[in-house]
Amino acid sequence: NTPEDAANHRVSNVAREVADTFYEAWSLDRACARAGISRRHFSKLFRAQIGRTFLEYLTELRLTHAAKLLEENHHSIIGAAFSSGYGDLSHFYRLFRARFGHPPRAWLEKRNDGDLPPQDRND
């Protein structure tokens, strides 16, 4: 078991932990500290394993969860943002619009009117 194997294993453990706790206050620094490796090395290994940057991965997990909460009518927009790990609503709105093409309320209205296909959970 080489040091590189151990580092890869720690990075994959962090990726799993983030998938389970994305709503917590994650940052690249926290993820690197959990893996016990430098930002540069962590970022390189994370991208090689997951296929995207740490921030892209975290954002996708959070936005997909927020969209699911909105779609299932379990939360208000504010509630969905906070439940998904966003403390800054303007940041959430910007990211949501960039990801789904519409701000949350307009996206939800279009979904309810049948103008948008069901949320693809696999992208």
Side-chain angles (χ1 to χ4, degrees), residues 28-37:
L28 180 58
D29 287 336
R30 178 183 173 192
C32 295
R34 293 289 289 159
I37 55 181

Side-chain angles (χ1 to χ4, degrees), residues 20-106:
D20 292 339
T21 62
F22 59 84
Y23 48 83
E24 292 181 1
W26 278 99
S27 67
L28 180 58
D29 287 336
R30 178 183 173 192
C32 295
R34 293 289 289 159
I37 55 181
S38 72
R39 286 175 65 120
R40 182 177 176 167
H41 196 197
F42 178 88
S43 296
K44 179 181 152 217
L45 295 177
F46 193 93
R47 187 175 194 106
Q49 284 184 30
I50 305 298
R52 56 183 65 177
T53 68
F54 175 79
L55 191 57
E56 289 168 345
Y57 177 70
L58 179 62
T59 299
E60 184 61 26
L61 290 169
R62 287 177 170 178
L63 290 177
T64 300
H65 183 72
K68 183 176 176 234
L69 292 176
L70 292 171
E71 201 172 36
E72 294 172 352
N73 221 7
H74 290 299
H75 288 71
S76 65
I77 293 169
I78 293 169
F82 288 137
S83 294
S84 301
Y86 291 101
D88 178 347
L89 284 179
S90 63
H91 185 63
F92 169 73
Y93 273 84
R94 268 194 311 280
L95 292 173
F96 194 98
R97 182 183 201 126
R99 168 65 177 84
F100 295 106
H102 303 279
R105 186 162 319 286

